[in-house]
Amino acid sequence: MESTEPEPSGSRPEEEEDEEEEEEEEEEEEDDGALLPPKQRLAAMEDCLAKKMEITVSEAEKRTGRNAMNIQETYTAYLIETRAVESQSEGQCAPVESLWRRYSEFELLRNYLSVTYPHIVVPPLPEKRLSADNMDPDFVERRRIGLENFLLRVASHPVLCQDKIFYAFLMQEGGWKEMVNETGFQLKADSRLKALNATFRVKNPDKRFTELKHYSDELQSVISHLLRVRARVADRLYGVYKVHGNYGRVFSEWSAIEKEMGDGLQSAGHHMDVYAASIDDILEEEEHYADQLKEYLFYAEALRAVCRKHELMQYDLEMAAQDLTSKKQQCEELATGTVRTFSLKGMTSKLFGQETPEQREAKIKVLEEQIQEGEEQLKSKNLEGRDFVKSAWADIERFKEQKNHDLKEALISYAVMQISMCKKGIQVWTNAKECFSKM
Amino acid sequence: MSGGAASTPKPLPSSGPKSLREMPHPLATSSSEEMGPALTPSPDLLLPRSIADKDLSLPNGTPVDTSSPASSSSLLNRLQLDDDFDVETRDLFVTVDDPKKHVCTMETYITYRVTTKTTRAEFDLPEYSVRRRYQDFDWLRNKLEESQPTHLIPPLPEKFVVKGVVDRFSEEFVETRRKALDKFLKRITDHPVLSFNEHFNVFLTAKDLNAYKKQGMALLSKMGESVKYVTGGYKLRSRPLEFAAIGDYLDTFSLKLGTIDRIAQRIIKEQLEYLVELREYGPVYSTWGGLEVELSEPLEGVSACIGNCCTALEELSEDMTEDFLPVLREYILYAESMKNVLKKRDQVQAEYEAKLEAVALKREDRPKVPTDVEKCQDRVECFNADLKADMERWQNNKRQDFRQLLMGMADKNIQYYEKCLTAWESIIPLLQDKPETK
């Protein structure tokens, strides 16, 4: 798998070396049957920070404190540990550095990245809130894994990993929030993005982005559906396995009144208990698969956001162009004295008398200045737009390849899980059959 | 072998059980201990009898005053048990197959072909093929219960089917019923006493069974009559230990089978609900595949795979419903009818004890026990012996039947998982496949 280099980010001195290493890593992956643990896989795919530094979210801890409104609250803090990856010749391991962060700080980081790099498909955070308890240990554990995954994704991204705020997030506990706010990114944030479904009538939409937005909507829809049904399937499967446990008890009771059949029944019953118990581990493993799908559910939203930003950019561009055109027209009308378009000003001046030549001159001058400004702005907006399209598209290609790779891996691991489950089933029933044969 | 002109069974030329004359008397050693302690054995018990007498004095034959039915039937049973393990000595084979639907003006019903192959002298021909419907089987069972009240008669599949819930003419139902009817006749065939029953013979051979049915009571055995007319007025003080044990066993046995039946039904229900969800699950992968380019084939592959698992699960549930549950229910019915036979036995013993007491109270100076009481005693002994012998063979058959049933259940589950395993293993290469061009 090759990643296309995102264009505007400038040259990277380690390019060639990294590509080779990537290929090596790829081959390793294939040999292992694509069963490397997620952390290593991600690091292997891309270079940058992820290669130079080990990053883990290793612990979660309950904390109490006072929030901004001086109200006491409990929250969970996560321990981020980092360690520089030393080259093998040095032997010694670098020291581990660590700091604590809470979920809201992760959110702040992500918002900052989204605004600062609007053309990038920014990796998603794990779910904001589960319906029940944020303190539930299972939820906390899954969130911990999700946050680690987020950091690794960012660290593996060729552009995002170079961001200083990100680096500070990992390394600098105190004063980080102030640092982020000082960037003034909130001012750049477009409030219109929050209105997800508001339509902006763009006259010349970019077909590729329209299709991509449509794709991201469909992807979100289908993955949601898949996750819902998968959860129901898991519930039902749980029921099937657990009912078999009842055989264990009744066979035991029955064996008490039998002479020759007793032993066989009793031992078969034991295997039924084993069968019933086995479903717990099976379903827990499947949760990891569900989490992998969920990540891409949220990724679809990030993809959509990029399309949306482009849409707004295009809209602003068209508005600016339209504004410029109307100003030019106004200017022309004033200069030539002809009224081509109906305007209230025109009417009032007709009714209440024309302006003096001096007034008209002043007006024309203002308009000409505005027109010049407008033309420059339009030029830069156009440039901005072209740059955006170029770099966005590059990152979208990168994302597509990542997505295809990751989802294939996820499907393979799912199939492997199913195979393991079938083999366990065969084993248990074969054992039971042997017990029955001895009846 | 009913009362009347019963022919003496001749020793068969080739296969078949050896002539009883030729065998050392199995009762030569101790066998009087086999009798229940509560009863005084008839004084003639240990005298060897001629085969003819023995056979004629079988419980369903003409009762003889000085009969020793207990020894003869257990003797025969013991021999027959040995013969069961040697298939070559079997001389009667019965099969039920070929269900056919008959549509008449009054009703629609199914008939089954009953094929008999035999070398027994009781049969005029070596082969028979007749058609019978369920009510014929039901008639046979009732006749057997009447004429052989001291024996355990195998159960029939349930008579009444709630219309609308189950389709009486569906292939699955008919096949399930056919298997049960086949089992029913085979169990009778394997029984050393029941298989010689006249009604059974007629059932297997008569072209027009209905005409025979109308003859009715004429062929009712004397023993059958005598047991039939035992009124329920007598109350048994206590059941002998061994029969109490059998009664307790049957109670617990039925209970456990009932539980297993409920569990099996619950599993099938859960499996079907699981299947419903799976049927929605698979196609979602397919829909997703439609959105993608590179992932299209892998996603379609997963979708197809889940589809295959659905099919396998469907087959498992069907098999369990058709093969497993009916046999469980059969045994529950069996246990019920056996408990009824135990109760009948109690009644026979109660009558005997009551009459014995009445005689003792009279205190008349008579050397000989009145014939009436002696007959009761015979009946009790005979009943006990037949029942014990039948219980032993029932236990043996039960063990084999359940061994086969449960191994079958395990097999079906193994096959289900193997089908799923094959499906998932076959898509791994598809998922790992990398496209040629990039």
Side-chain angles (χ1 to χ4, degrees), chain B residues 94-99 110-114 132-141 154-159 173-189 200 203-204 326 330:
Chain B
V94 178
T95 322
V96 177
D97 62 6
D98 189 35
I110 307 268
T111 63
Y112 303 84
R113 180 177 63 183
V114 177
R132 297 285 180 250
R133 56 185 290 191
Y134 182 90
Q135 65 188 32
D136 298 331
F137 286 82
D138 197 35
W139 168 89
L140 173 63
R141 191 175 191 280
L156 272 182
E158 265 150 1
K159 186 176 206 162
F173 178 78
V174 171
E175 175 58 17
T176 303
R177 206 173 231 204
R178 184 204 65 77
K179 280 191 214 153
L181 295 173
D182 184 81
K183 195 79 206 266
F184 170 72
L185 290 184
K186 284 191 160 72
R187 280 175 171 148
I188 298 172
T189 309
F200 183 51
F203 176 89
L204 293 177
E330 226 171 71

Side-chain angles (χ1 to χ4, degrees), chain A residues 133-143:
Chain A
D133 187 17
N134 279 2
M135 297 296 146
D136 168 38
D138 281 336
F139 174 76
V140 167
E141 174 61 13
R142 303 257 295 284
R143 186 174 256 197

Side-chain angles (χ1 to χ4, degrees), chain B residues 119-356:
Chain B
T119 53
R120 286 191 184 177
E122 289 80 11
F123 293 85
D124 296 331
L125 300 172
E127 266 191 56
Y128 291 91
S129 180
V130 294
R131 293 212 75 96
R132 297 285 180 250
R133 56 185 290 191
Y134 182 90
Q135 65 188 32
D136 298 331
F137 286 82
D138 197 35
W139 168 89
L140 173 63
R141 191 175 191 280
N142 288 334
K143 282 291 178 234
L144 287 173
E145 268 194 330
E146 275 174 21
S147 56
Q148 316 275 181
T150 61
H151 287 284
L152 303 175
I153 316 294
L156 272 182
E158 265 150 1
K159 186 176 206 162
F160 297 110
V161 168
V162 182
K163 278 192 194 164
V165 175
V166 180
D167 179 11
R168 292 181 298 142
F169 302 111
S170 76
E171 258 186 62
E172 294 84 20
F173 178 78
V174 171
E175 175 58 17
T176 303
R177 206 173 231 204
R178 184 204 65 77
K179 280 191 214 153
L181 295 173
D182 184 81
K183 195 79 206 266
F184 170 72
L185 290 184
K186 284 191 160 72
R187 280 175 171 148
I188 298 172
T189 309
D190 288 345
H191 196 286
V193 176
L194 295 179
S195 62
F196 287 95
N197 184 285
E198 172 92 15
H199 300 299
F200 183 51
N201 187 308
V202 173
F203 176 89
L204 293 177
T205 61
K207 281 288 168 212
D208 181 3
L209 190 63
N210 287 326
Y212 176 79
K213 283 187 197 180
K214 287 183 182 132
Q215 290 178 41
M217 309 294 282
L219 300 167
L220 186 64
S221 72
K222 289 286 166 69
M223 180 59 181
E225 267 185 46
S226 62
V227 172
K228 194 172 160 209
Y229 292 132
V230 167
T231 55
Y234 303 97
K235 211 49 191 287
L236 182 68
R237 235 163 273 152
S238 66
R239 227 183 221 177
L241 247 87
E242 59 186 322
F243 294 109
I246 292 174
D248 287 340
Y249 171 81
L250 288 175
D251 282 337
T252 311
F253 178 72
S254 313
L255 224 71
K256 295 310 151 195
L257 283 196
T259 306
I260 293 174
D261 180 63
R262 278 193 301 280
I263 295 172
Q265 278 187 66
R266 176 84 188 275
I267 289 175
I268 291 169
K269 176 171 173 281
E270 296 283 340
Q271 279 173 344
L272 289 177
E273 286 177 352
Y274 172 54
L275 187 62
V276 166
E277 302 299 345
L278 271 188
R279 286 226 170 93
E280 193 184 325
Y281 187 49
V284 181
Y285 281 100
S286 198
T287 306
W288 188 359
L291 290 178
E292 301 284 341
V293 176
E294 200 179 309
L295 292 175
S296 173
E297 265 185 50
L299 289 166
E300 283 294 340
V302 171
S303 178
C305 196
I306 295 171
N308 289 335
C309 293
C310 285
T311 309
L313 183 60
E314 218 179 349
E315 283 164 13
L316 174 64
S317 296
E318 261 173 37
D319 281 347
M320 289 298 284
T321 307
E322 283 165 26
D323 296 335
F324 186 79
L325 291 180
V327 177
L328 272 184
R329 287 179 190 148
E330 226 171 71
Y331 262 92
I332 295 173
L333 290 171
Y334 218 154
E336 283 310 305
S337 77
M338 284 159 74
K339 284 195 261 188
N340 287 335
V341 176
L342 271 177
K343 285 187 194 143
K344 267 189 247 162
R345 191 217 69 86
D346 288 346
Q347 281 173 11
V348 171
Q349 185 180 333
E351 192 196 358
Y352 167 66
E353 286 179 353
K355 290 199 171 145
L356 195 64

Side-chain angles (χ1 to χ4, degrees), chain A residues 215 219 225 232 236 241 244 247 253 258 261 275 289 403-404 408 414 429 433 436-437 439, chain B residues 249 256 267 273 277 280-281 285 288 291-292 294 398-399 403 406 411 413 417 431 433:
Chain A
Y215 167 78
L219 187 66
H225 188 194
R232 292 206 301 264
R236 289 302 178 194
Y241 271 75
H244 278 87
Y247 274 145
E253 291 166 2
E258 295 291 343
M261 279 168 54
Y275 181 71
Y289 171 68
K403 175 205 78 176
N404 288 337
K408 241 191 216 175
Y414 185 67
W429 282 104
K433 186 179 171 186
F436 290 139
S437 74
M439 264 166 51
Chain B
Y249 171 81
K256 295 310 151 195
I267 289 175
E273 286 177 352
E277 302 299 345
E280 193 184 325
Y281 187 49
Y285 281 100
W288 188 359
L291 290 178
E292 301 284 341
E294 200 179 309
K398 173 211 79 184
R399 181 167 145 249
R403 186 170 168 276
L406 292 168
D411 255 335
N413 277 279
Y417 277 113
L431 293 175
D433 191 37

Side-chain angles (χ1 to χ4, degrees), chain A residues 42 49-50 53-58 78-82 99 101 105-106 109-110 113 123-126 143-157 160-161 165-167 169-171 176 295 299:
Chain A
L42 289 170
L49 200 59
M53 182 190 280
E54 273 174 32
I55 306 170
T56 55
V57 176
S58 51
Y78 298 89
L79 182 67
I80 301 176
E81 289 184 319
T82 51
L99 46 72
R101 294 266 184 233
E105 291 175 280
F106 279 85
L109 172 65
R110 188 173 188 278
L113 291 173
L125 282 172
R143 186 174 256 197
R144 183 192 65 74
I145 295 169
L147 292 175
E148 184 177 282
N149 195 47
F150 167 75
L151 292 179
L152 288 169
R153 290 281 194 200
V154 177
S156 318
H157 193 285
L160 298 178
C161 72
I165 298 288
F166 174 60
Y167 190 79
F169 180 87
L170 296 173
M171 309 301 290
W176 178 79
E295 195 196 7
Y299 249 129

Side-chain angles (χ1 to χ4, degrees), chain A residues 159-396:
Chain A
V159 173
L160 298 178
C161 72
Q162 296 180 39
D163 187 279
K164 294 198 168 48
I165 298 288
F166 174 60
Y167 190 79
F169 180 87
L170 296 173
M171 309 301 290
Q172 181 187 320
E173 186 149 25
W176 178 79
K177 263 201 194 151
E178 288 73 17
M179 198 177 161
V180 184
N181 290 328
E182 271 166 30
T183 62
F185 81 93
Q186 275 112 341
L187 300 169
K188 289 192 227 158
D190 194 337
S191 59
R192 293 176 296 174
L193 286 169
K194 295 202 181 131
L196 279 173
N197 289 323
T199 43
F200 295 88
R201 243 176 291 128
V202 175
K203 289 192 193 120
N204 293 313
D206 185 324
K207 207 168 175 198
R208 290 182 305 170
F209 279 100
T210 314
E211 277 172 14
L212 191 66
K213 184 155 157 239
H214 182 70
Y215 167 78
S216 69
D217 285 338
E218 300 272 279
L219 187 66
Q220 274 187 286
S221 166
V222 84
I223 295 182
S224 297
H225 188 194
L226 191 64
L227 285 169
R228 275 198 308 276
V229 185
R230 193 214 67 87
R232 292 206 301 264
V233 166
D235 273 344
R236 289 302 178 194
L237 189 61
Y238 183 81
V240 171
Y241 271 75
K242 286 301 177 189
V243 178
H244 278 87
N246 294 328
Y247 274 145
R249 188 173 49 231
V250 74
F251 283 168
S252 182
E253 291 166 2
W254 184 9
S255 72
I257 60 168
E258 295 291 343
K259 295 182 198 101
E260 290 151 322
M261 279 168 54
D263 287 339
L265 273 176
Q266 178 86 351
S267 43
H270 162 73
H271 290 297
M272 289 294 98
D273 287 332
V274 168
Y275 181 71
S278 68
I279 191 65
D280 295 309
D281 285 343
I282 290 168
L283 289 183
E284 204 185 297
E285 253 197 280
E286 268 199 25
E287 287 299 321
H288 293 309
Y289 171 68
D291 284 339
Q292 285 174 298
L293 292 181
K294 237 184 230 182
E295 195 196 7
Y296 275 92
L297 175 66
F298 300 143
Y299 249 129
E301 221 176 294
L303 190 63
R304 188 185 200 276
V306 173
C307 298
R308 198 84 169 115
K309 283 172 205 160
H310 175 261
E311 199 176 47
L312 288 175
M313 247 182 157
Q314 184 74 1
Y315 178 77
D316 285 346
L317 188 76
E318 286 179 2
M319 288 289 111
Q322 206 178 309
D323 189 55
L324 187 66
T325 312
S326 88
K327 284 207 165 75
K328 279 187 180 167
Q329 227 168 38
Q330 274 184 310
C331 203
E332 197 195 316
E333 283 167 19
L334 282 174
T336 60
T338 56
V339 181
R340 274 210 219 114
T341 55
F342 175 83
S343 75
L344 196 58
K345 253 198 176 148
M347 284 312 293
T348 49
S349 61
K350 269 206 160 150
L351 288 168
F352 297 106
Q354 299 242 348
E355 301 160 307
T356 61
E358 293 81 17
Q359 282 174 322
R360 215 185 321 142
E361 277 304 316
K363 272 206 186 137
I364 289 174
K365 205 165 186 170
V366 167
L367 276 171
E368 276 175 349
E369 270 174 35
Q370 285 180 341
I371 285 167
Q372 185 154 30
E373 239 179 79
E375 272 182 339
E376 273 171 30
Q377 269 188 19
L378 194 65
K379 216 186 208 171
S380 76
K381 270 198 161 82
N382 260 313
L383 210 68
E384 204 185 323
R386 275 203 290 275
D387 279 345
F388 181 95
V389 170
K390 204 169 173 193
S391 48
W393 215 257
D395 195 57
I396 285 163

